[in-house]
């Protein structure tokens, strides 16, 4: 009697080059085409119970978040209590801003800011030095207590926290933007700030902590906002869809605790699964996308994933997204939580000051040269630690 043995060839892979705050890294990526994410890969979580007086109801949401965090680290949230009118107003104001000629946007350019807040023109950002220059322009800023409803007066903030809060004394860029833009964008930022503080309790519960455990690190959070405008990727002899090096924003992880992203209906966000498969995270009306960053991976000793993602706008249409990046107070230290170190385990990360980690990760954010060659703009040293744009994993600093 004879038997036949059938062998299956392993899936083909390639190496995605990235770097981290601690040196170069690579990720193994399947060469199979990008596909739509399955519900279990990027789940939808109804977070309305987090506003309930019932701890059991709040814990149930935290359990779903923990499942998503230990899977691919990306999920959608719905019923978050931010009115669609608030996000729609900010979206419309941002779109009107970006559609203006460059000369009309120049007065709010980063060149007029001590910390390079404001408008960043096309071809000035490259978050992955091994991929193309980002095909986007953006408007960004970071936490200013003047706009935080929980702060009675900026002078009331303790000095050890206040010394790390960087913003222009003249209120730039919002002192220079058209009034309708400010009137739409600031309320959106405030609404998301409130939501982020509520979600922080859910994240604590997801980690098996008392829900207020992290609050002291989050009184004046390093919250950045980036309005990103993506023109369609240009076509070439190899189509934009096939040329993997051509990106709207390059492959990266976010460097802080967590990110809330509102995206329009166009799409283009892609998430790298733990198996190395690129997944489309399709837009969902009224939802925010949530993902975790490097802070969260560090403090959880790798239990929660800081997931690589990118944007490739091959739709042929313009795309706009609004991203909100939440970090701890910059005077805080990012250290592994004791509750995330199991029996027989050790802490995989040394403590790092939040302001030092931020500085480490954003040094090259405006270096469009990277290791790829070519001319580009470099970041001014005084702007180190000041950008409210997604982080990348960097190999070198050439600014």
């Amino acid at each position: 009697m004879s038997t036949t043995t059938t062998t299956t060839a392993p899936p083909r892979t390639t190496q995605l080059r990235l770097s981290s705050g601690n040196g170069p890294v690579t990720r193994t990526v399947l060469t199979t085409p990008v596909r739509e994410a399955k519900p279990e890969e990027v789940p939808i979580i109804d977070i309305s119970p987090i506003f309930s007086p019932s701890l059991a109801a709040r814990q149930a949401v935290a359990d779903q978040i923990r499942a998503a965090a230990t899977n691919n680290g990306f999920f959608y949230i719905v019923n978050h209590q931010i009115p669609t009118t608030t996000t729609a107003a900010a979206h419309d104001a941002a779109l009107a801003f970006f559609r203006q000629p460059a000369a009309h946007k120049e007065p709010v350019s980063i060149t007029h800011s001590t910390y390079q807040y404001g408008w960043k023109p096309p071809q000035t950002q490259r978050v992955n030095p091994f991929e193309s220059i980002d095909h986007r322009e953006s408007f960004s800023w970071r936490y200013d207590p003047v706009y935080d409803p929980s702060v009675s007066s900026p002078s009331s903030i303790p000095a050890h926290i206040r010394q790390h809060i960087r913003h222009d004394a003249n209120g730039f860029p919002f002192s220079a933007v058209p009034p309708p833009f400010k009137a739409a964008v600031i309320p959106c930022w405030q609404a998301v700030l409130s939501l982020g503080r509520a979600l922080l309790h859910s994240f604590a519960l997801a980690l098996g902590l008392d829900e207020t455990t992290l609050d002291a690190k989050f009184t004046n959070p390093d919250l950045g906002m980036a309005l990103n405008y993506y023109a369609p990727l240009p076509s070439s002899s190899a189509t934009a869809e096939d040329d993997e090096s051509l990106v709207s924003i390059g492959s990266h992880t976010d460097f802080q605790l967590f990110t809330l992203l509102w995206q329009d209906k166009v799409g283009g966000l892609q998430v790298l699964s733990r198996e190395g498969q690129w997944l489309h995270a399709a837009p969902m009306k009224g939802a925010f996308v949530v993902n975790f960053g490097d802070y969260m991976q560090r403090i959880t000793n790798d239990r929660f994933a800081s997931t690589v993602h990118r944007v490739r706008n091959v739709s042929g249409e313009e795309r706009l997204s609004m991203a909100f990046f939440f970090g701890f107070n910059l005077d805080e230290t990012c250290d592994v939580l004791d509750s995330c170190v199991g029996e027989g385990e050790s802490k995989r990360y040394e403590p790092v000051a939040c302001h030092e980690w931020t500085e480490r990760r954003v040094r090259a954010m405006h270096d469009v040269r990277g290791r790829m060659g070519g001319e580009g703009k470099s970041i001014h040293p005084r702007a180190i630690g000041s950008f409210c744009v997604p982080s990348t994993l960097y190999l070198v600093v050439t600014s």
Side-chain angles (χ1 to χ4, degrees):
M1 181 178 178
S2 63
T3 58
T4 302
T5 301
T6 302
T7 58
T8 303
R12 295 182 60 186
T13 61
T14 188
Q15 296 298 304
L16 176 64
R17 289 186 291 175
L18 305 163
S19 42
S20 73
N22 299 316
V25 297
T26 60
R27 300 289 177 91
T28 300
V29 179
L30 296 170
T31 58
T32 50
V34 181
R35 62 170 174 79
E36 295 297 325
K38 300 175 183 177
E40 63 271 19
E41 292 172 322
V42 184
I44 303 167
I45 301 178
D46 178 352
I47 66 165
S48 56
I50 74 172
F51 306 105
S52 165
S54 166
L55 176 59
R58 301 195 300 272
Q59 183 65 59
V61 174
D63 292 344
Q64 295 177 67
I65 289 174
R66 181 173 60 250
T70 54
N71 185 11
N72 290 321
F74 265 75
F75 54 97
Y76 301 94
I77 57 171
V78 295
N79 296 326
H80 42 68
Q81 296 195 355
I82 295 181
T84 56
T85 51
T86 299
T87 51
H91 165 265
D92 292 348
L95 208 54
F97 172 82
F98 286 117
R99 285 173 173 170
Q100 297 178 105
H104 291 194
K105 292 177 280 191
E106 197 282 331
V108 293
S109 165
I110 61 172
T111 58
H112 303 297
S113 169
T114 303
Y115 300 109
Q116 298 202 12
Y117 296 156
W119 176 58
K120 302 174 180 68
Q123 304 293 300
T124 59
Q125 299 175 80
R126 186 183 209 153
V127 303
N128 189 318
F130 303 108
E131 296 172 332
S132 73
I133 291 173
D134 295 348
H135 288 270
R136 64 171 172 137
E137 57 184 287
S138 64
F139 178 93
S140 59
W141 67 302
R142 276 168 79 173
Y143 179 83
D144 184 340
V146 167
Y147 301 112
D148 185 346
S150 74
V151 176
S152 58
S153 169
S155 62
S156 67
I157 300 172
H160 64 278
I161 299 175
R162 192 170 63 245
Q163 68 176 327
H164 293 295
I165 298 176
R166 298 185 174 99
H167 57 85
D168 290 286
N170 63 356
F172 190 89
F174 286 105
S175 59
V177 298
F181 180 92
K182 179 179 179 179
V185 171
I186 293 295
C188 187
W189 182 88
Q190 291 171 327
V192 175
L193 172 59
S194 178
L195 175 59
R197 284 174 164 146
L199 282 170
L200 189 70
H201 290 176
S202 300
F203 301 152
L205 289 174
L207 291 168
L209 305 170
D210 180 87
E211 58 189 332
T212 61
T213 300
L214 300 175
D215 284 8
K217 290 178 172 285
F218 214 71
T219 56
N220 304 98
D222 183 29
L223 169 59
M225 180 179 186
L227 306 173
N228 288 311
Y229 177 80
Y230 301 99
L233 285 172
S235 298
S236 61
S237 54
T239 67
E241 194 158 0
D242 294 334
D243 185 359
E244 286 285 314
S245 69
L246 197 60
V247 291
S248 302
I249 184 170
S251 306
H252 65 281
T253 63
D254 293 339
F255 64 81
Q256 296 170 304
L257 197 67
F258 63 98
T259 302
L260 300 182
L261 175 76
W262 182 95
Q263 54 178 335
D264 66 14
K265 64 181 181 179
V266 174
L269 174 63
Q270 298 178 356
V271 177
L272 188 66
S273 75
R274 289 205 171 189
E275 292 72 39
Q277 171 68 57
W278 282 114
L279 306 171
H280 285 296
M284 180 175 297
K285 187 176 181 179
F288 278 85
V289 179
V290 182
N291 67 275
F292 295 114
D294 296 347
Y295 278 6
M296 188 68 84
Q297 182 159 324
R298 291 178 73 93
I299 69 172
T300 62
N301 220 29
D302 291 343
R303 281 165 169 72
F304 284 14
S306 178
T307 305
V308 176
H309 52 288
R310 66 185 182 185
V311 173
R312 302 194 70 241
N313 179 18
V314 296
S315 68
E317 304 176 56
E318 62 183 353
R319 176 183 186 264
L320 189 129
S321 70
M322 301 185 291
F324 304 83
F325 308 97
F326 287 84
F328 291 133
N329 300 351
L330 283 173
D331 69 301
E332 291 288 343
T333 297
C334 186
D335 193 10
V336 176
L337 296 166
D338 291 337
S339 61
C340 292
V341 182
E343 186 176 352
E345 293 182 338
S346 59
K347 294 185 177 183
R348 299 178 182 179
Y349 302 100
E350 294 294 324
V352 62
C354 292
H355 68 90
E356 290 179 1
W357 180 254
T358 301
E359 290 167 5
R360 192 186 306 177
R361 292 297 308 272
V362 300
R363 287 181 192 277
M365 188 61 67
H366 280 54
D367 171 31
V368 299
R369 293 163 297 183
R371 282 291 195 184
M372 306 293 285
E375 296 300 320
K377 297 182 180 180
S378 297
I379 177 175
H380 192 284
R382 69 185 178 184
I384 296 301
S386 68
F387 296 107
C388 58
V389 289
S391 75
T392 186
L393 300 170
Y394 282 103
L395 177 61
V396 293
V397 175
T398 61
S399 56

